[in-house]
Amino acid sequence: MKKGAMQKSKQWNVKGALRMAGIFHFLHSCGSSCLLPFLTLYFRHLGLNAAMIGIIMASKHLLALVWRPFSSVLARQYDKRRAVIVGSLLSSALVVLTLLLFPSAGIQAESGRCNATSQPDAYPTALLATLDDDGLNITITTTLQHYSTQSNATVYSVNQTSLSTEQPVEVDTFVSSNWSARGLRSLKQEEGLHTEFLGSLKAMDAQHQMFFLVLIVMVLWECMAAPLEWTADDGLYEYLDFVDATDRYSGVKVWKQLGAAFGNCAVGVLVTSLFCLTGTSVEFYSYTALMILTIPTAALLPIYLRKRERLTSGGFKALQLVHGNSQAILCAITVVLMGMVSSAVSDFLLWQMQDCGATEIHMGISLALVHLSQAAFAPLSGHLSRFLKYHGWALVLAVVILALQCLYYSFLRSPWAVIPAQLMAGFSTGALWWSVTSQSEDIATPGTEKTILRLFEALSLELGAAFGSLAAGFVVQKFGVMLLFQGAGVVLALWSSTLALLKWKIPRQRRINYSRLLAADTEISESESDQEKDWLETAMEDDRGKISGQWKVK
């Protein structure tokens, strides 16, 4: 029996499992943060406008909303979790490199960051071609940036510069005359070879062609990457649940934040240092390298599966519990709204920073501060709960802080000025999810806590983010980034007042969770027995001391 118990303890090594899960999530978060926050900048450099980028990011979130839970259920049902995780890492690492294959228009501004001869084709422009009866007309739409030594960016725009094969005109001084001459000669020589291709441009210009190509690649990439997170989390949670150690599950989240912070900083330094040699392609190669590096840890990731289990309707049960509680409905509306605004900020904050003269190192450090402040919020949550006395007020506090952030972002004038708002962002997100977690515990029945929390996450991070990206793209296209942030701040300020009033008026309803009460009672009884044991041991030690003293006297 003793030998069998030792083998079992070696088999279920909880500390080793948590250590391996921490390494896995650190590497995966590090790789994701090398690329995902900078995607909208890359799309901007491809020549896509804000509305197109909003549609692309919204499509990405909507696909994840549907495909992530469905793929997680399938992986569990067919006992293919590890295969899904490894396949997701490998396929997403390869598919994303397709975005680097899209050709640029070949026009590059001479900037202060690099010499014109050494600057890579990292920021391509949009080349719009149409075929008319008068000949081939090419429209160049680009945003050319010049970074001065004082880190203040002056944005130059060359819009709708027409080139004709019959009567070529001079391009603006920012466009190289050598490129224009070579481009026109090349177009004349190859006009016959590309008649079919140019004929197809009558129905769609090059910018929209680029939009649909990027959209297709992003949808394919999301199909590959979306199943990973829930599948890995479910496997680890069930492993810890089997060994009765689910209370240690939350400790893995810290490694996600630390990995994301490290990835943001590292890629910011690398891109800024190697910009003149590689451009922004370092972000893509870093993502691919780290995803592949994560595969060995995925092969050792602790995963437990209860075989021959029927599928449960946990999601529908969670929806019923949320729908039946007024406070939970308020929480659901708030997380959707917060998800919309957070998505708008993540999509277009870097645009605002770039227009203020920021380089990738400024962006990477500012993004890393958000994750570090989120990680630092966990030890402070206990003090916050004692101060607010009710988790619902933390939800109001999170909305107020995000409103202040948005208003602050709209008045940015220098790259480093974003740091105070980024530190606030971590506490805003931390307060939001601490309140949401407490709300989930209030309405949960035994075994549904994790499902309810995941429902709130899907409402915020996917559904709300999809609506936010879509709306933000059109707002930026028509009014600009500054008005986007100001409008978002005003909307959140109004909702925070409404939310505080409703929280005060609506009575708080809590469902008695007997499993948590039983666990708490067990802990209390164990602590009382430990205290009794300590008292008995102390008394026995005192008696021994008295007896030994009597022997010494004799």
Side-chain angles (χ1 to χ4, degrees):
M1 292 293 293
K2 190 174 182 180
K3 183 177 180 181
M6 290 178 63
Q7 289 178 351
K8 186 175 180 180
S9 64
K10 289 182 180 179
Q11 182 181 0
W12 302 102
N13 185 359
V14 177
K15 290 184 178 179
L18 291 172
R19 192 179 302 113
M20 185 57 62
I23 296 173
F24 171 84
H25 286 294
F26 180 89
L27 292 175
H28 179 255
S29 297
C30 185
S32 298
S33 62
C34 285
L35 179 60
L36 292 180
F38 304 96
L39 273 177
T40 55
L41 273 184
Y42 184 75
F43 296 155
R44 186 189 198 187
H45 302 146
L46 283 179
L48 302 182
N49 58 41
M52 291 177 174
I53 293 173
I55 294 172
I56 291 172
M57 300 306 292
S59 302
K60 176 180 179 295
H61 291 301
L62 288 176
L63 179 61
L65 177 66
V66 177
W67 176 235
R68 181 172 289 142
F70 185 67
S71 60
S72 175
V73 170
L74 289 179
R76 181 185 183 186
Q77 182 69 15
Y78 293 98
D79 193 12
K80 298 294 182 183
R81 278 178 172 162
R82 199 177 303 279
V84 168
I85 294 171
V86 174
S88 177
L89 288 170
L90 184 59
S91 57
S92 63
L94 298 178
V95 168
V96 74
L97 295 179
T98 310
L99 291 173
L100 293 176
L101 301 178
F102 295 153
S104 66
I107 302 175
Q108 190 62 48
E110 183 176 350
S111 70
R113 297 180 70 176
C114 308
N115 295 326
T117 57
S118 63
Q119 187 171 355
D121 200 12
Y123 296 141
T125 58
L127 183 63
L128 313 181
T130 57
L131 188 63
D132 299 332
D133 295 335
D134 298 333
L136 175 66
N137 295 325
I138 300 175
T139 301
I140 302 169
T141 303
T142 182
T143 299
L144 307 179
Q145 292 187 341
H146 176 79
Y147 295 90
S148 65
T149 55
Q150 288 81 17
S151 297
N152 295 321
T154 305
V155 179
Y156 303 99
S157 296
V158 183
N159 294 318
Q160 295 183 346
T161 303
S162 299
L163 300 179
S164 174
T165 54
E166 293 184 353
Q167 296 179 349
V169 298
E170 293 185 3
V171 190
D172 195 79
T173 55
F174 296 110
V175 181
S176 171
S177 60
N178 293 331
W179 178 88
S180 301
R182 289 197 302 269
L184 289 175
R185 285 197 299 269
S186 176
L187 287 172
K188 288 180 179 179
Q189 294 171 0
E190 299 179 5
E191 185 175 358
L193 299 176
H194 295 83
T195 301
E196 184 178 356
F197 171 74
L198 294 174
S200 65
L201 295 177
K202 289 182 179 180
M204 184 184 299
D205 56 40
Q207 186 184 35
H208 285 83
Q209 286 184 346
M210 181 69 74
F211 163 70
F212 281 108
L213 286 173
V214 171
L215 180 61
I216 291 171
V217 173
M218 288 298 295
V219 167
L220 181 61
W221 181 31
E222 190 63 28
C223 285
M224 301 295 105
L228 187 144
E229 187 173 356
W230 280 24
T231 303
D233 286 344
D234 288 344
L236 176 63
Y237 186 84
E238 291 185 8
Y239 176 95
L240 295 175
D241 185 47
F242 180 78
V243 296
D244 197 21
T246 53
D247 56 324
R248 305 178 68 177
Y249 172 77
S250 59
V252 178
K253 296 181 180 179
V254 178
W255 292 105
K256 294 182 180 180
Q257 302 296 340
L258 295 178
F262 182 80
N264 289 146
C265 280
V267 79
V269 173
L270 286 174
V271 172
T272 304
S273 303
L274 303 175
F275 182 82
C276 297
L277 298 175
T278 61
T280 57
S281 60
V282 172
E283 298 164 357
F284 292 85
Y285 293 126
S286 299
Y287 173 86
T288 298
L290 285 167
M291 291 300 106
I292 294 175
L293 187 62
T294 310
I295 292 177
T297 63
L300 301 174
L301 193 66
I303 292 177
Y304 175 77
L305 178 67
R306 294 184 178 93
K307 297 182 179 180
R308 297 182 181 179
E309 267 195 350
R310 292 184 301 174
L311 293 177
T312 59
S313 56
F316 296 105
K317 179 65 174 177
L319 282 172
Q320 291 176 354
L321 292 172
V322 172
H323 183 265
N325 187 284
S326 300
Q327 294 284 354
I329 293 175
L330 279 180
C331 185
I333 296 172
T334 304
V335 297
V336 171
L337 185 60
M338 293 282 283
M340 291 177 64
V341 176
S342 298
S343 178
V345 170
S346 64
D347 287 347
F348 295 104
L349 175 60
L350 298 190
W351 283 37
Q352 179 82 334
M353 293 183 65
Q354 189 180 63
D355 294 341
C356 291
T359 59
E360 286 74 13
I361 192 169
H362 299 105
M363 301 172 189
I365 293 175
S366 66
L367 292 171
L369 289 175
V370 176
H371 297 292
L372 292 177
S373 58
Q374 287 182 25
F377 178 83
L380 302 176
S381 59
H383 300 286
L384 183 65
S385 64
R386 287 191 293 270
F387 175 74
L388 296 177
K389 301 187 183 303
Y390 171 44
H391 60 76
W393 301 122
L395 195 65
V396 178
L397 179 63
V399 177
V400 171
I401 294 177
L402 185 56
L404 294 175
Q405 287 174 235
C406 291
L407 293 176
Y408 185 91
Y409 291 144
S410 65
F411 296 105
L412 283 183
R413 292 296 178 267
S414 64
W416 294 119
V418 77
I419 289 179
Q422 294 297 86
L423 291 173
M424 292 169 60
F427 289 97
S428 171
T429 306
L432 171 67
W433 291 112
W434 174 75
S435 176
V436 170
T437 302
S438 301
Q439 180 64 61
S440 302
E441 294 174 351
D442 281 355
I443 65 174
T445 57
T448 62
E449 296 93 340
K450 187 169 181 288
T451 307
I452 295 175
L453 181 58
R454 185 165 280 180
L455 173 63
F456 282 125
E457 290 177 351
L459 288 175
S460 178
L461 303 179
E462 305 302 346
L463 183 62
F467 291 149
S469 294
L470 188 64
F474 286 100
V475 171
V476 172
Q477 179 73 14
K478 189 170 182 63
F479 302 105
V481 180
M482 184 181 297
L483 285 179
L484 168 69
F485 291 145
Q486 291 175 354
V490 171
V491 170
L492 287 176
L494 293 175
W495 175 247
S496 65
S497 303
T498 306
L499 180 63
L501 179 62
L502 292 175
K503 285 283 185 184
W504 180 59
K505 289 289 186 181
I506 297 176
R508 182 185 179 188
Q509 301 174 2
R510 295 190 63 182
R511 182 182 297 272
I512 299 176
N513 194 325
Y514 292 101
S515 62
R516 287 207 309 270
L517 289 177
L518 181 61
D521 183 65
T522 303
E523 292 178 359
I524 292 172
S525 61
E526 289 178 353
S527 62
E528 289 177 352
S529 63
D530 290 340
Q531 291 177 1
E532 292 177 358
K533 184 179 179 181
D534 294 339
W535 173 83
L536 182 59
E537 289 179 352
T538 304
M540 293 177 65
E541 288 178 358
D542 292 340
D543 290 340
R544 292 193 192 99
K546 291 179 181 179
I547 293 173
S548 62
Q550 292 175 1
W551 278 104
K552 287 180 181 178
V553 172
K554 292 180 179 180

